[in-house]
Amino acid sequence: MTRPVAGRLRPYVPAPLASRPDRRVVRTACVAVLAAVAFGALLPGDPLTAVGALVVIPLAFGAPVAALSVLIAVTVLVPFEAQDRFSLVGGSGRPGLLLVDVLMLLGLCRVGWLVLSRRLGLDTPLLVAAAVALVLTAALGWGIAQGADVSEAGHETRRVMLGVGAFVLAWPVVRDKAARRRLEGALIGLGLVLGVWGLVQWGFSIDYTSAADVGIRRGVDLTSAGRGSLQGGLYAYPVAVTLAWAALVSGRVRSVPLRWLLAAVVCLNAVCLWLTYERTFWVATAVACTAVVVMSGARARRNAAKWVPVGALSLLVFLAVIAPGEIRTALERVVSVNRLEIDESYSYRVIESQVVLGEIQGRPLTGSGFGATITWGKEDTFAPLTTPFIHNGYLWLAWKIGVPAAAFLVSVIVAAVLRRGPPGEDPRLRILRIGSRAALLSLLLTTVTFPAFNTLGVTAVTGLLVAVCFCGRDDAAAGPPQAPRSGVPEQARPRAGPG
């Protein structure tokens, strides 16, 4: 059988049954399923964990956007105690691997294979991420060598390393337009669930956990009748508000249902943010939303001027109806800024920071390693206690990994905040980049009084935001040239003539 091509007769070449990308997907899925089955067979005494492995392994290899979304969702929404209950090895209170650890490690293997097969370039951001990972691994070994508790050292390493791992997993995703748009949809869904989850904690008065990542902490300092402060999702609320706010004020969201969804994300998470009664988070979110308006241009300023008064009034009316006492509590928290001399939380932070500064001066270059602890107290104020934790995130990082490494890591995040997109970039990427830059700014402000670098619920989010900020325009990780689906060389394809 022949067909005319450019005035000549050439043999007809039938289309292959499966293109190369299809065969690659099938091979990847088969390997992932076989690995999952084999891994599940090794855990006959723990069927729930085995089922989790059966889901996680194919997800990590076959669906990178879904895997990244699950990693972010689990770390933000699921309490650590629940994650630890289903750890693959170890167990509650013992060193082990969580399902998110496995998801991250397998995802890193996938990215490594993309680099080795030259389908993803080993560029500067990936090299920097690898260098940071080596520094964190060295800090883990150094801490254990200094006598730190292995479990605590491992937990601290996990929290920081999840940020690096999420960046690497996100890097090929955010550089691909189609994958990035699927990720945007997942983030909107996560923002909605986060806001609903916060209100569920508040409405059902869920108890505050020992891991301090879910529930209501009883009482509000320096208030007369505070019921308690919402802690679950604390670090993620400013990020959700800022990203959704960036999309809303941009004026480029044409779909009415999508605008309502984004408005719901802003409102739900703003209410949850209010109920945390954490002044640092309030200020950081306000600064981030202001930065969004400044970076987004004149249209955003007009939209913000129109919607901020409406949103603020709606929030006050909502709280006045469902929880009138919370308005008074919030006002008392704002006024309490002038009473720092009797604020125990402020005194607590000052004392622990002074002690850690002494530790940093003792080992400024190497740090004390992950798992290191300090013992401190104050007569007639705080009983002596030993802890690996302090509230100032910058001092915590310098204490653990040393001043040079901490300064470098922070400078990378600052560079992400300052990075502008190239001229003429995709408008949707520009909106996501502006929101990510502002959200990172809020986290940098929060870290002054809260340990954002040492919190499982936000480190993976930070890695994703940094990846978005550093991605360029139309630099999707393209693989090697693929054969045409028809099986006919491009030069031999018939071309339509003029007219």
Side-chain angles (χ1 to χ4, degrees):
M1 181 176 180
T2 60
R3 62 189 300 178
V5 177
R8 294 175 296 166
L9 295 179
R10 295 180 61 90
Y12 172 71
V13 180
L17 294 178
S19 63
R20 291 181 183 178
D22 294 334
R23 290 200 300 268
R24 187 183 300 117
V25 170
V26 171
R27 287 198 300 267
T28 301
C30 290
V31 171
V33 170
L34 290 175
V37 171
F39 190 83
L42 298 176
L43 297 169
D46 196 349
L48 290 178
T49 303
V51 170
L54 289 172
V55 173
V56 163
I57 294 177
L59 191 69
F61 284 110
V65 177
L68 178 62
S69 303
V70 169
L71 178 68
I72 299 296
V74 170
T75 54
V76 169
L77 297 173
V78 181
F80 174 76
E81 291 181 357
Q83 296 185 52
D84 197 31
R85 190 175 303 125
F86 299 103
S87 58
L88 299 181
V89 295
S92 181
R94 303 194 305 274
L97 283 177
L98 306 180
L99 286 175
V100 290
D101 298 332
V102 176
L103 186 61
M104 182 186 71
L105 291 173
L106 294 177
L108 293 178
C109 291
R110 178 185 177 277
V111 174
W113 172 248
L114 291 177
V115 172
L116 291 176
S117 61
R118 298 185 179 180
R119 293 160 58 195
L120 179 66
L122 187 59
D123 46 19
T124 301
L126 285 180
L127 290 174
V128 170
V132 173
L134 288 176
V135 170
L136 299 180
T137 303
L140 170 63
W142 176 242
I144 294 174
Q146 298 301 308
D149 178 74
V150 175
S151 179
E152 182 57 39
H155 288 328
E156 290 187 337
T157 307
R158 168 191 289 126
R159 294 164 195 155
V160 186
M161 195 72 81
L162 269 171
V164 181
F167 171 86
V168 175
L169 266 61
W171 189 239
V173 170
V174 299
R175 296 170 65 196
D176 181 87
K177 187 174 182 179
R180 190 171 59 242
R181 293 193 172 185
R182 294 196 299 272
L183 179 63
E184 290 170 0
L187 291 177
I188 293 174
L190 176 58
L192 288 171
V193 175
L194 175 65
V196 172
W197 170 230
L199 294 181
V200 167
Q201 295 176 69
W202 184 264
F204 289 92
S205 298
I206 294 178
D207 292 334
Y208 190 47
T209 62
S210 59
D213 59 354
V214 70
I216 308 300
R217 187 177 62 192
R218 300 301 172 188
V220 181
D221 292 342
L222 303 180
T223 63
S224 58
R227 168 188 167 188
S229 58
L230 175 62
Q231 297 297 300
L234 175 64
Y235 292 84
Y237 296 134
V239 175
V241 170
T242 304
L243 291 177
W245 174 249
L248 275 178
V249 299
S250 69
R252 292 186 175 274
V253 180
R254 304 300 183 188
S255 170
V256 174
L258 182 56
R259 286 204 297 267
W260 278 107
L261 285 176
L262 292 170
V265 172
V266 172
C267 293
L268 289 173
N269 287 277
V271 171
C272 293
L273 185 64
W274 180 299
L275 296 175
T276 65
Y277 298 111
E278 296 293 358
R279 295 162 298 190
T280 301
F281 287 86
W282 291 349
V283 173
T285 306
V287 170
C289 290
T290 303
V292 164
V293 174
V294 172
M295 291 187 288
S296 298
R299 178 187 290 183
R301 289 192 288 272
R302 291 193 298 269
N303 290 334
K306 178 173 61 175
W307 290 111
V308 165
V310 175
L313 181 61
S314 300
L315 177 61
L316 289 174
V317 171
F318 178 78
L319 288 173
V321 172
I322 68 168
E326 309 310 329
I327 297 179
R328 176 182 176 182
T329 302
L331 292 175
E332 290 178 340
R333 281 293 286 170
V334 172
V335 174
S336 68
V337 173
N338 297 323
R339 304 165 60 192
L340 292 180
E341 68 279 359
I342 61 172
D343 190 341
E344 289 191 357
S345 65
Y346 173 76
S347 301
Y348 192 106
R349 286 167 168 79
V350 170
I351 297 171
E352 67 181 9
S353 296
Q354 291 172 345
V355 175
V356 165
L357 281 172
E359 295 291 322
I360 295 173
Q361 292 173 357
R363 289 174 175 167
L365 298 180
T366 63
S368 300
F370 289 123
T373 61
I374 55 172
T375 300
W376 62 273
K378 183 177 181 181
E379 187 177 357
D380 299 328
T381 305
F382 301 114
L385 73 160
T386 300
T387 174
F389 162 93
I390 68 165
H391 284 83
N392 187 301
Y394 299 107
L395 293 182
W396 179 88
L397 196 63
W399 170 33
K400 301 292 181 173
I401 68 175
V403 174
F408 176 74
L409 184 57
V410 173
S411 68
V412 170
I413 301 177
V414 172
V417 173
L418 299 177
R419 181 177 173 84
R420 293 184 178 183
E425 70 176 333
D426 176 27
R428 291 179 60 161
L429 175 56
R430 181 174 183 270
I431 294 170
L432 184 59
R433 188 195 304 275
I434 288 174
S436 298
R437 291 170 63 193
L440 283 175
L441 176 61
S442 74
L443 290 174
L444 289 175
L445 295 175
T446 298
T447 305
V448 175
T449 55
F450 287 86
F453 299 131
N454 185 32
T455 302
L456 187 64
V458 77
T459 51
V461 174
T462 303
L464 170 61
L465 296 175
V466 172
V468 171
C469 292
F470 278 114
C471 74
R473 179 186 61 184
D474 297 331
D475 55 349
Q482 302 294 336
R485 294 187 67 87
S486 65
V488 182
E490 180 68 24
Q491 295 82 356
R493 291 186 180 181
R495 292 185 174 88

